[in-house]
Amino acid sequence: MQRKKLEKHWFKHDISASSDNKIAELEMNHGFVGYAIYFKLIEQLYLNNGKLEYNNVKIAWRLRAPDDKETLQMISSVIEDFGLFEFDKTKTIFHSPRALSGLEEILSKSKKAKDSALKRHNKKDEIVQENTDLPF
């Protein structure tokens, strides 16, 4: 799905997200700022096919956060210390299984909607074709 289309989508934010043990630990260590960084990372993952390059300076820029030492360390901690994200073998790309699942759900619904629209369109074409074949 194109990034432009995804920008108009939303993702589920569980009403009990802050009750999750990993999120609670994140909040205990980094407060609301850590919580905000986490959800901004999730947004970016949705917009980038579920994966991001693990480069703190680029991530800070994406999050519109300062790239000072403290912020960069907090971004690293949010990504690495709470089990909320997973990495590729080289540890240069990270993702969230939850975001990948949500993205898959969005794409699946979009495909079903597209298929239904095509089916309706084809049915209309068939009806028009049948009506043009009538002798009167």
Side-chain angles (χ1 to χ4, degrees):
M1 180 177 280
Q2 295 176 349
R3 180 183 170 116
K4 199 106 177 130
K5 282 186 178 182
L6 273 175
E7 287 174 352
K8 296 179 187 215
H9 271 276
W10 52 274
F11 64 88
K12 293 178 182 176
H13 173 105
D14 297 337
I15 198 165
S16 61
S18 60
S19 297
D20 178 270
N21 289 337
K22 294 175 183 179
I23 299 286
E25 186 179 351
L26 167 72
E27 274 190 288
M28 286 173 30
N29 283 274
H30 298 300
F32 294 130
V33 175
Y35 189 76
I37 288 171
Y38 169 72
F39 274 103
K40 289 189 89 162
L41 286 169
I42 294 295
E43 290 172 0
Q44 288 301 309
L45 286 167
Y46 270 86
L47 292 172
N48 291 280
N49 296 318
K51 298 179 181 184
L52 282 176
E53 178 185 359
Y54 188 20
N55 177 316
N56 284 355
V57 174
K58 288 181 181 179
I59 291 170
W61 182 83
R62 283 178 181 271
L63 302 183
R64 295 178 188 90
D67 63 354
D68 57 65
K69 184 178 179 181
E70 183 180 336
T71 303
L72 296 178
Q73 286 175 337
M74 188 179 298
I75 290 170
S76 287
S77 177
V78 170
I79 293 171
E80 293 182 30
D81 296 343
F82 304 98
L84 296 164
F85 300 100
E86 295 178 356
F87 298 89
D88 68 349
K89 291 176 185 172
T90 63
K91 207 170 180 180
T92 58
I93 304 291
F94 72 98
H95 70 275
S96 161
R98 188 165 174 254
L100 286 175
S101 173
L103 192 56
E104 187 178 302
E105 185 178 336
I106 289 170
L107 296 174
S108 173
K109 285 180 182 179
S110 179
K111 184 181 179 338
K112 285 179 186 176
K114 180 180 176 182
D115 291 347
S116 293
L118 286 172
K119 192 181 279 187
R120 283 191 307 274
H121 180 73
N122 289 338
K123 192 169 190 163
K124 285 180 186 175
D125 285 349
E126 288 174 17
I127 291 170
V128 168
Q129 183 60 40
E130 287 173 8
N131 288 340
T132 58
D133 291 342
L134 294 175
F136 48 91

